[in-house]
Amino acid sequence: MFLDLLLDGSGRPLPERATVKSPAAISRFLNHAAWQTRQLCRVMRQHALQLLPDEWRLRPHQRPRLDLLVDLTSLEKSGKFADLDDWMHTFNSVHGVHLVVLYLCCGQLRLPWAVQVWRGKGTPSPAQLALKLLRTVARLLLSGRRRPRLHADGGFESVEFIQGVLAQGLDIVVGVRCTRKLEDGRQVQDLMVRGSLVKPCGLDQIMCVSWVWLYRNKEPEQRFVMSNVNLGGVYLARVGKGRWRIEAFFKTIKGRFGLERFAQHSKQGVFRWWCLSTLAFFLCHFQELDGAVRKPQVWPDWGVLARTIRFSFVPEVRRQALLLE
């Protein structure tokens, strides 16, 4: 019944909208029922491990590069959640739960892999949590001739994070503040040529720096990006835009599958809500991959996909709802 709510595609899987089961039954299922949440996560991850090698076998002469994207997303909440006190904090003026997410992209595959909750000041930073998430990726996925590439925004530009990523044998493309100092005394914003090779303060690695212009507001905004690989100014700027794929995922899983709509007061209930919301995304993504016609680089209509899965995956719930009507 809860999957039926998630696959409505409206982004409002609220228990009071249930028909076949009562809201109290759904609450007990999330907060108290004895089912293995970790086993569900393990099954989804094992399926992802099977899909990635299949994607590589289909294209042996042009193996898609594995991109690892990390970012922090905020689930805004108001009200009192007594059991979630160490999860609820204010970050960038947003009060709620803040998640550091690791998202894998390879060819057409889009796989949310792991998540950590940021627990406030005085605890591991989002960059440290991201390094912890990277250690969960199987070594099988990081092997091959094409080195995997990690994408992150300017919140992950610390020396500790960059060195930790490079130590794991990954290339990195990370956003950088315009005021970041270089060893020669200049700042990043003082660079005049895209693709300049410079050494930021605190790093032993020479980095290639480029930038893009964003025209979202009245005044254009300059965003800088740097990488340990000399990709050239134009190509590095294009590669840096690949980080926005995780933003599209956040928008989809929040807007279509209700990631931030939880109202549970136990950590187990909230975590199960997140897992099942991710499962709904997986089911729709696999349906889209199995479709007869797929347009590359085109974000699908997730509402249509969700309703298709709803009638094929949980038909018994739909039948009982129609009988009740």
Side-chain angles (χ1 to χ4, degrees), residues 4 19-20 311 315-325:
D4 181 76
T19 55
V20 177
F311 280 93
E316 182 62 21
V317 177
R318 291 287 83 223
R319 187 184 71 84
Q320 292 186 30
L322 290 172
L323 288 175
L324 286 175
E325 290 181 13

Side-chain angles (χ1 to χ4, degrees), residues 188-242:
V188 169
Q189 62 186 355
D190 298 328
L191 298 175
M192 302 300 294
V193 179
R194 292 204 295 180
S196 299
L197 299 178
V198 296
K199 185 180 288 187
C201 290
L203 277 177
D204 297 330
Q205 178 74 34
I206 294 178
M207 306 293 283
C208 178
V209 179
S210 185
W211 57 83
V212 295
W213 290 94
L214 298 181
Y215 296 90
R216 298 184 299 180
N217 303 314
K218 292 183 179 179
E219 294 294 330
E221 186 178 354
Q222 191 178 21
R223 294 287 183 88
F224 292 88
V225 62
M226 66 180 180
S227 174
N228 66 303
V229 182
N230 183 9
L231 300 174
V234 176
Y235 185 60
L236 176 57
R238 191 193 319 165
V239 171
K241 295 179 182 178

Side-chain angles (χ1 to χ4, degrees), residues 24 36 49 72 83 92 106 113 123 126 128 138 142 146 162 166 173 178 193 219 230 244-245 260 272 291 303 322:
Q36 296 293 326
L49 281 173
L72 182 141
D83 293 338
N92 289 338
C106 182
W113 183 260
T123 65
Q128 292 170 329
L142 304 181
R146 301 192 72 183
I162 294 175
L166 297 178
V173 178
C178 63
V193 179
E219 294 294 330
N230 183 9
W244 289 96
R245 287 172 290 181
E260 61 183 352
R272 285 176 167 179
L322 290 172

Side-chain angles (χ1 to χ4, degrees), residues 8-20:
D8 175 64
S10 65
R12 299 178 62 245
L14 307 178
E16 54 266 28
R17 301 182 65 201
T19 55
V20 177

Side-chain angles (χ1 to χ4, degrees), residues 275-292:
C275 290
L276 291 168
S277 177
T278 304
L279 175 60
F281 174 84
F282 268 135
L283 292 172
C284 294
H285 181 47
F286 299 153
Q287 172 69 23
E288 192 262 338
L289 292 176
D290 292 338

Side-chain angles (χ1 to χ4, degrees), residues 109-257:
L109 286 176
R110 303 286 185 266
L111 304 171
W113 183 260
V115 64
Q116 285 281 335
V117 179
W118 180 67
R119 298 173 185 265
K121 294 182 179 179
T123 65
S125 66
Q128 292 170 329
L129 293 176
L131 289 176
K132 185 177 180 180
L133 293 177
L134 288 179
R135 290 193 287 270
T136 67
V137 181
R139 301 307 303 178
L140 171 66
L141 303 183
L142 304 181
S143 61
R145 289 178 297 177
R146 301 192 72 183
R147 280 166 56 109
R149 184 181 289 155
L150 183 131
H151 297 253
D153 67 3
F156 297 85
E157 63 162 344
S158 66
V159 172
E160 177 190 6
F161 180 73
I162 294 175
Q163 290 179 340
V165 172
L166 297 178
Q168 296 194 38
L170 304 174
D171 293 331
I172 188 170
V173 178
V174 62
V176 58
R177 290 173 288 112
C178 63
T179 56
R180 177 143 189 175
K181 293 184 178 180
L182 308 176
E183 279 198 347
D184 58 10
R186 294 180 298 170
Q187 295 181 345
V188 169
Q189 62 186 355
D190 298 328
L191 298 175
M192 302 300 294
V193 179
R194 292 204 295 180
S196 299
L197 299 178
V198 296
K199 185 180 288 187
C201 290
L203 277 177
D204 297 330
Q205 178 74 34
I206 294 178
M207 306 293 283
C208 178
V209 179
S210 185
W211 57 83
V212 295
W213 290 94
L214 298 181
Y215 296 90
R216 298 184 299 180
N217 303 314
K218 292 183 179 179
E219 294 294 330
E221 186 178 354
Q222 191 178 21
R223 294 287 183 88
F224 292 88
V225 62
M226 66 180 180
S227 174
N228 66 303
V229 182
N230 183 9
L231 300 174
V234 176
Y235 185 60
L236 176 57
R238 191 193 319 165
V239 171
K241 295 179 182 178
R243 191 196 69 80
W244 289 96
R245 287 172 290 181
I246 195 171
E247 300 291 353
F249 164 69
F250 290 152
K251 183 177 180 180
T252 298
I253 200 169
K254 291 179 182 179
R256 290 294 186 181
F257 303 114

